Amino acid sequence: MHTAFTPTFWSAGTTALTAFGAILLTAAGAVHAVRPREHRAVLRVHRLLPPAVAAASTAAELLVGAAVLAVLLTAPAAAGVPVTAQAVLYCAFAGYTAVLRTRRAGVPCGCFGAGTVSWAVVVRAVALAAGSAGCAVLGAPQPVPDRWSCAAAGVVLAMAHHLLPAWRGSGARKSPRAFR
């Protein structure tokens, strides 16, 4: 059954995933900016990329995440480029973490805290890439149906509140000092 509700529903859903992904990118970038030595140390443990890319990855997380949030909140019709950039970034994270999980299971993720890379991290990156790609294709809901913007914000906050602690607890706990 296809109704006018369906495109709005999917657009709001992908926008909520996109906003959630942007929040995660911005938060991760902020943590990496505050703790650059720890971020470089995690990349050394990964042994897939040189630690010198830490600054560039931090900048990409901050710039893309902040740009997506800004455009979703102020000019949703112009979301195409930043949201596409976010989809590409999450595709890269999904590939990186899948290779990392396969080759070096048990290494720290470096996303939030010192949890290990798990398949849940890979799936999260894939889901956020798909949500961002969907938002790029379908477009963000225009401000006219305010209830959809509010619902999307509620979904994002609920997901962040309930899922982040679960994801953080999914890997083995390590002391934050282990990477200094």
Side-chain angles (χ1 to χ4, degrees):
M1 181 167 113
H2 185 348
T3 65
F5 171 77
T6 304
T8 303
F9 172 79
W10 286 111
S11 180
T14 59
T15 301
L17 275 174
T18 301
F20 179 54
I23 291 167
L24 289 181
L25 279 180
T26 306
V31 169
H32 292 152
V34 171
R35 300 180 183 153
R37 288 184 344 176
E38 183 177 314
H39 187 42
R40 286 189 306 272
V42 167
L43 289 175
R44 270 193 289 286
V45 171
H46 288 175
R47 294 182 301 161
L48 292 178
L49 293 173
V53 304
S57 69
T58 298
E61 289 168 338
L62 284 169
L63 291 173
V64 171
V68 169
L69 287 173
V71 78
L72 287 178
L73 293 173
T74 62
V81 172
V83 168
T84 301
Q86 179 168 294
V88 169
L89 194 55
Y90 273 115
C91 282
F93 287 160
Y96 182 84
T97 55
V99 168
L100 193 59
R101 177 64 182 97
T102 303
R103 291 185 181 176
R104 293 186 179 75
V107 297
C109 178
C111 299
F112 293 98
T116 59
V117 175
S118 66
W119 288 114
V121 170
V122 177
V123 170
R124 179 183 65 198
V126 169
L128 294 173
S132 298
C135 185
V137 170
L138 296 173
Q142 296 304 309
V144 176
D146 286 341
R147 66 182 180 272
W148 290 111
S149 297
C150 292
V155 168
V156 169
L157 292 174
M159 289 172 65
H161 178 71
H162 292 290
L163 295 179
L164 279 176
W167 284 329
R168 289 184 67 172
S170 67
R173 291 280 182 193
K174 295 195 191 298
S175 167
R177 295 179 183 200
F179 302 108
R180 290 190 179 150

